[in-house]
Amino acid sequence: MDLNTVLDVRDARRREPWRPGDAWLGGGTYLFSEPQPHVRRLVDLSRMGWPPLSWQPDGSLDIAATCTITELSRFARTLPTTAAPLFEQCCRAFLASFKIWNMATVGGNLCNGLPAGPMISLTSALDGSVLLQGQDGATRRLPVAEFVRGAGVKDLRDGELLRSVRLPARALDSRTAFRQASLYGLGRSGALVIGASDPQDGSLAVTVTAATTRPFRFWFALPPGAAELREAIDSAVRPEEWFDDIHGLPDWRRHMGLRLAEEVRRELAGEDVAAAARPAHGAHAPHAVRPDRPAPRAHSAHAVHAAPEGPR
């Protein structure tokens, strides 16, 4: 997409005053995907020289905003932590070609704030926090689950920059379970649920994304039962917070969110996962397809796809 309103591209290292119409340029995969009529100047971060990934003295991991998906995927293949497989699972949850992987950044995915953003799923599930830097150099830190406040809505002040996201060492040692659902075989995530079990105290965190307008992270001091988990999700997520677009109706997203959360709970508890996927006797699950179409079918326990919804 040609951004014909852009008049200038500046190097972010020059630290020039922020002005109306400015936009940070990371990989540019979103900026150049559709018209941006409000943008007049791009401030390019590509020469900042931030290390893509760096270990901190306390064992936590910092991921630079400019770290690409390719860099994250390669790093995760040699990551010496229990949660390492989750990185690749979330990287693979992108609806993107290898060309996008080579340009798209972790920070860009977070700052877009889209419900289906898999880097939002990864970092919120692992109790990540973002480091934000203002124009005056002042910094503040927020949990990822609080940074993304709605579909495309972030807690970013004018001219503020997402510098990095930090994953604590304890979360990296967690046992994880991953579930993803889509209406299409290679479609955008309609629901993505991640469980993380802490080996130190036995606590469990279940994070629901893609199905909801923002990430919801549920933490339990002890692994919950099925009813407790379902009640926690239904109590926290308001009806209007189940996302609604062409990739899934709210009722279907809620159904899949609850179903996948229960599968995650059972897997990490060592229970029969297959039983979680079977509907109760006489129960009818809501579908995102029209009544004259066949009901969705699950193809696997880890990536669930349903029949296409059709245009709306």
Side-chain angles (χ1 to χ4, degrees):
M1 172 65 64
D2 292 330
L3 303 183
N4 54 22
T5 62
V6 173
L7 304 175
D8 196 9
V9 180
R10 309 300 288 178
D11 191 328
R13 294 175 297 179
R14 298 179 62 173
R15 299 186 62 83
E16 297 180 0
W18 192 261
R19 63 192 191 192
D22 283 358
W24 297 111
L25 172 62
T29 54
Y30 166 72
L31 274 176
F32 289 95
S33 70
E34 59 183 52
Q36 310 288 345
H38 61 287
V39 176
R40 297 292 180 270
R41 185 173 68 163
L42 298 176
V43 184
D44 186 6
L45 297 168
S46 63
R47 296 185 179 92
M48 293 301 288
W50 298 330
L53 299 116
S54 55
W55 292 105
Q56 301 306 302
D58 64 354
S60 60
L61 177 66
D62 274 9
I63 306 173
T66 50
C67 175
T68 67
I69 305 309
T70 293
E71 289 171 328
L72 182 65
S73 173
R74 287 175 178 167
F75 177 84
R77 292 170 197 169
T78 58
L79 191 62
T81 63
T82 310
L86 183 62
F87 285 73
E88 187 68 12
Q89 289 169 323
C90 288
C91 287
R92 295 289 171 186
F94 269 98
L95 181 60
S97 69
F98 73 91
K99 293 180 288 185
I100 298 296
W101 269 42
N102 286 332
M103 294 300 296
T105 62
V106 173
N109 195 247
L110 286 162
C111 288
N112 278 344
L114 300 179
M119 295 298 99
I120 298 173
S121 306
L122 170 68
T123 55
S124 57
L126 293 181
D127 198 22
S129 61
V130 293
L131 179 65
L132 307 174
Q133 181 176 315
Q135 285 295 298
D136 60 357
T139 60
R140 61 190 180 108
R141 191 173 288 278
L142 281 176
V144 173
E146 295 179 14
F147 171 69
V148 180
R149 302 170 65 180
V153 182
K154 297 83 59 180
D155 189 350
L156 266 178
R157 299 165 185 169
D158 189 39
E160 200 168 35
L161 169 70
L162 192 155
R163 170 65 180 81
S164 62
V165 57
R166 177 167 295 178
L167 304 179
R170 189 161 173 171
L172 293 172
D173 287 332
S174 298
R175 291 190 303 115
T176 61
F178 175 94
R179 295 292 189 279
Q180 179 190 19
S182 174
L183 286 172
Y184 306 90
L186 294 175
R188 179 180 292 181
S189 298
L192 200 159
V193 180
I194 297 171
S197 177
D198 191 320
Q200 295 187 32
D201 61 10
S203 63
L204 175 67
V206 177
T207 304
V208 180
T209 57
T212 50
T213 57
R214 59 184 178 88
F216 283 86
R217 188 173 188 270
F218 303 93
W219 182 85
F220 303 90
L222 294 174
E228 183 183 355
L229 176 59
R230 185 184 184 92
E231 181 181 359
I233 296 173
D234 272 340
S235 298
V237 185
R238 300 192 303 269
E240 64 271 20
E241 290 178 314
W242 293 105
F243 195 46
D244 182 13
D245 71 352
I246 196 171
H247 299 284
L249 296 174
D251 283 349
W252 176 78
R253 291 183 190 264
R254 174 181 174 274
H255 167 68
M256 293 307 301
L258 292 170
R259 168 181 167 174
L260 300 184
E262 173 60 9
E263 289 188 19
V264 160
R265 185 197 69 82
R266 284 178 171 260
E267 178 179 331
L268 293 176
E271 299 178 18
D272 179 14
V273 177
R278 293 195 293 267
H281 178 69
H284 297 280
H287 304 304
V289 293
R290 294 200 298 263
D292 59 332
R293 295 194 176 186
R297 294 188 300 169
H299 295 298
S300 77
H302 294 275
V304 183
H305 307 297
E309 173 191 5
R312 288 195 288 161

